[in-house]
Structures are given as structure tokens and as C-alpha cells.
Amino acid sequence: MRVYIRPPRPSDEQLYSEAVVRSADHLSPWNPVEPDGLPDLLRRQGPALRTFLILDREDEGLVGRVNVANIVRARFRNGSLGYDSYLPYAGTGRMTEGLRLVVDRCFQPGPDGLGLHRLEINVQPENERSLAMAKRLGFRHEGYSPRMLFINDAWRDHERFALTSEEWPGPSF
């Protein structure tokens, strides 16, 4: 395993900012580029939002960030995954490894896991790398959502994928 995951902390602010700035061209077609966004993200952590950083074991570099958002409990037990990968790690398979760890943590019962039953990934149709990631992780295509999210000054269409805990084989490395 080349990566590990953990929640972000205030001391990650410089690491996060540098990774986002370095990856601005890589991120900007799909997400806002917010190098100073970590303090706000930390403030928003709670029952409906959990964030995980994916870090490289060898050099402690920031591989990516994963948000588990819109967490709903009770009978639904669902969350939506959103993720950004950072250079120079994009395309090395480390983001896939990290996302497998996050999905596994989402399906694990508490106190260490989130105890969710279902996860969604919503991807803009032109984002071929993220579409491939959803499929590589075993998420099934569920549909198309026109004008789903307001990103970069426009309403963007998304392809919707989902996975339940019964379908998840585990991180399988």
C-alpha cells in the first residue's frame, strides 16, 4: 500500500495550498481551484460532511482529497463522494488506492467507520479520468442528471454512479 488516509488538520494548510496551486490546471476544468479553502473545509466537518486526505507513504506528499458529503443517516445511510487528485501523483494509481481505503472506511461500522450502506459518485460527462475511476472502483452507472451542480459559473450535467456495501469487496490489494 503506497498511501494512507486521514482527516485533514489545521497544520495541513500549507501542504494543501501548495498541492492545489501546483494542480490548478489539472483541477480547473472540473472544480473550483481554492488553495486557501482548507480552513473553511475544516469548519464544515460534521455529521453531513467528512473529508479524508490521501497521503503518499514514502514522501508524505498530498495525493488527493476526498469529501464524503450529503451524509444522510437513518434508513438511507448514504453519502456522496467528491474527489480531487493532485500533481505529481495523478495517473500513478495512488488516488485509486486511497479512494478504495475511503470507500472501505465509509462502509465500516462505527466508531472508526461511517457505517454507510450506499455511496454515490457524480461526474461531469467530459471528465474521462473520473468516470474511469468510478468504474474502476466498481460503482454502477445509475443515470444522468442534467444541470446538477453549479461549478465554474455554470450548471453542469453529471453522470451518476452508486455502490452499496453488499457490492463492495473491500480494498482488495
Side-chain angles (χ1 to χ4, degrees):
M1 185 67 87
R2 298 176 293 172
V3 300
Y4 66 96
I5 62 171
R6 67 165 170 78
R9 21 186 202 230
S11 61
D12 294 321
E13 199 166 342
Q14 182 176 349
L15 177 71
Y16 181 86
S17 180
E18 289 172 357
V20 172
V21 167
R22 182 174 57 247
S23 306
D25 291 341
H26 172 72
L27 299 171
S28 64
W30 318 116
N31 286 314
V33 176
E34 300 171 329
D36 299 324
L38 187 63
D40 180 58
L41 187 61
L42 289 169
R43 275 191 296 280
R44 294 183 4 233
Q45 297 299 298
L49 174 67
R50 294 285 301 276
T51 299
F52 296 93
L53 299 183
I54 300 171
L55 295 135
D56 184 80
R57 284 191 185 279
E58 186 175 317
D59 65 11
E60 295 296 316
L62 184 55
V63 172
R65 179 198 74 209
V66 182
N67 287 330
V68 185
N70 305 316
I71 298 172
V72 178
R73 301 290 178 178
R75 293 185 177 166
F76 195 23
R77 293 193 341 216
N78 185 72
S80 297
L81 294 182
Y83 44 87
D84 286 333
S85 65
Y86 303 124
L87 301 174
Y89 305 98
T92 66
R94 286 171 175 82
M95 192 68 186
T96 301
E97 289 180 24
L99 268 165
R100 287 177 195 239
L101 293 172
V102 171
V103 170
D104 203 54
R105 178 80 54 91
C106 287
F107 288 145
Q108 288 176 4
D112 295 330
L114 298 182
L116 298 178
H117 175 257
R118 183 177 182 279
L119 292 170
E120 293 183 11
I121 295 177
N122 295 286
V123 180
Q124 293 175 55
E126 300 81 17
N127 190 342
E128 294 175 8
R129 291 179 85 155
S130 283
L131 289 171
M133 175 72 76
K135 293 172 186 174
R136 192 165 42 252
L137 292 170
F139 282 70
R140 75 186 122 61
H141 187 259
E142 284 199 327
Y144 179 78
S145 301
R147 299 169 305 283
M148 180 182 174
L149 290 174
F150 195 74
I151 299 174
N152 295 333
D153 299 320
W155 287 101
R156 307 290 176 178
D157 301 342
H158 282 71
E159 298 287 345
R160 189 176 58 258
F161 295 83
L163 180 74
T164 63
S165 58
E166 294 89 354
E167 297 166 307
W168 180 242
S172 63
F173 294 104

